[in-house]
Amino acid sequence: MTFSSMFFILGFLPAFFLIYKIFPKQSSRNIILLLFSMLFYLFGGLRFLILLTVEAFVGWAFGLQIEKAAGKKRLQSSLLAVSVLIFLAILGGFKYTGFIFSNLNQTLGTGLTVPSAVLPLGISFYTFKLISYTADVYHERVYAQKSFPVFLTYVICFHTILQGPIVRYADMRRELNNRIMDRRTFSEGMYRFSLGLAKKTILADHMGTLADQMFPASRGIAAVSPASAILGSICFTLQMYLDFSAYSDMAIGLGRAVGFHYKENFNYPYIAASVKDFWRRWHISLSSFFRDYVYIPLGGNRRGFARQTLNLLAVWLLTGLWHGADWNFILWGLYYFVFIFLENLIAHIRKGNAPGNDGTRHAASSIPVRILGHLYTILVFNFGWVIFRFTDFRQLKTALAYFLNWSSGWQDVSILLTVKNNLFILILCVLASTPLFSALSHRAEIRMQEKRVSKNGFYAVRLAFAGICFVLAICALAGATYHPFLYNQF
């Protein structure tokens, strides 16, 4: 079951809100949230629900023991290390065993049986939630949660369990026992959820269909023209943002509807003017996790440029591996490491020539420079998504060759016709990847306030707009084939 399934939208979610609204006490609502979250996850398999519950119990127990060992730093460090190793061992066992065995067979001819176990839903996300919790208890950023049901509610909450955002316990602890669900929070939440649902079903899925037509990744690309490859890669680039940010919108909206305030996970990354800026805006909860629990503990940028570079290399290797157990994901992580290293190197050289060192002065970045930076960033992340898309290296090699073969194959009538027939939705998808619609919504709110329209009136208008988006999304779902969220596989 996913957020974009008819059963979830028309069955599970209305039942949850109805029962949740009937019981006003927070303790009762927590029980309802926990039970519905367990039911939601149960659709992925009973054994995976048991695994998640056991892992949550391990994290809860280690958190209590780490807090109990306050003042005994060596013991606390050992407890933290053991808990992290347990979580990573389970993640690695499910996610990377097949990858390791298949590579050993290819390189050493070992003849190991490659397991074909199904990956537990959301394991990469809830593993990081558990690691962040035990680490935060160790660093005394939070108190250990005494109630296991409350802690399990944090881990398994159906809003974020499958694809994030990676919500830290520190961000939920107060609202786990003290949150407000009223007309305003519900309207805000359902507005955000409906926009995300429409973004997924109307925009992202359509871009996915075009990407598969022009730049297929599953059935070989021997007959694809350069024009088709480039335009198909652009469609896939749009699909990646619209699909994943749509899930985050829906998760944040579901949380807001019942009183949770989850942090934003995307900040329009496609308007970034550098690769570093792109990663400050893309999948913010993952980037901040690696920053706070890997990069900074390794020394961050406090031990010189060379050490900073090694720390970044470790982060980007892990980022690539986190996304998938294939060499293309490792290559994808190293690809971004190279560009961020080069940007850091340029900044390091400029810092050495800054005023106070040799008296030179650097003017603020001009508009042309920012435009060039933006174009450079677009080329980098669009090419990066090509690497991300192809897990088969032979197909990846063929795909990359088309980006270098600009001498032939541009007179592709079918591609021109496809673009012409889909021009409106292509433009809409590009605009949806920018802050334009958000700015227009904010401006409309200001104008309504200037005209002294009541807040209830404003929220009523927003809820009506959400209703229109919701109906259009349902129509799109009813008339299309099923398209799972891209990040389900991670």
Side-chain angles (χ1 to χ4, degrees), residues 191 195 267-268 271 431-447 458 462:
Y191 173 78
L195 289 184
N267 184 23
Y268 304 103
I271 68 169
L431 294 178
S433 302
T434 72
L436 175 64
F437 294 124
S438 177
L440 290 175
S441 175
H442 180 66
R443 180 59 184 166
E445 183 177 4
I446 293 175
R447 289 296 299 273
F458 173 74
R462 291 225 308 183

Side-chain angles (χ1 to χ4, degrees), residues 58 67 69 159 199 246 272 275 287 366 447 458 480:
V58 170
E67 185 174 77
H159 307 153
K199 187 191 291 187
V275 176
S287 300
S366 62
R447 289 296 299 273
F458 173 74

Side-chain angles (χ1 to χ4, degrees), residues 26-39:
Q26 198 65 70
S27 57
S28 300
R29 288 182 167 179
N30 279 348
I31 293 172
I32 294 166
L33 178 59
L34 175 58
L35 292 176
F36 269 86
S37 296
M38 295 180 75
L39 177 62

